[in-house]
Amino acid sequence: THTLSRSFFSSSLSQAADAGDADAQFTMGCFCWGAGGSQDEAALAWWNMAASQKHGRANWKLGKYFYDGRSAPEDYVKA
């Protein structure tokens, strides 16, 4: 069975996200979000990049971020 190493996947994903791929940016945001509080700002930045390209799931994540108030005060207007 062939499996890709985590570092290869992360590197390829990071390169795609840096190149402007909205799906990759969304996924990078999810990875950062899953890492915990210290990475929430990075998740927000990645989702903002993807959302600026009309990425629906990124828009939803941003809305949830502001609605829930995780790492930022609740903001129902932004949500």
Side-chain angles (χ1 to χ4, degrees):
T1 331
H2 177 67
T3 58
L4 294 174
S5 73
R6 182 180 174 99
S7 62
F8 173 81
F9 177 72
S10 296
S11 175
S12 297
L13 181 65
S14 179
Q15 288 174 356
D18 288 338
D21 182 283
D23 286 327
Q25 291 168 340
F26 171 77
T27 302
M28 289 292 289
C30 291
F31 282 154
C32 291
W33 186 257
S38 66
Q39 294 296 313
D40 285 357
E41 292 289 324
L44 185 61
W46 284 117
W47 290 335
N48 270 313
M49 285 185 252
S52 72
Q53 298 180 65
K54 309 288 189 235
H55 192 280
R57 291 177 294 166
N59 279 309
W60 182 85
K61 285 284 194 179
L62 287 171
K64 182 148 179 53
Y65 177 90
F66 289 110
Y67 184 84
D68 290 344
R70 176 179 167 175
S71 300
E74 291 174 351
D75 188 331
Y76 298 125
V77 173
K78 283 185 179 179

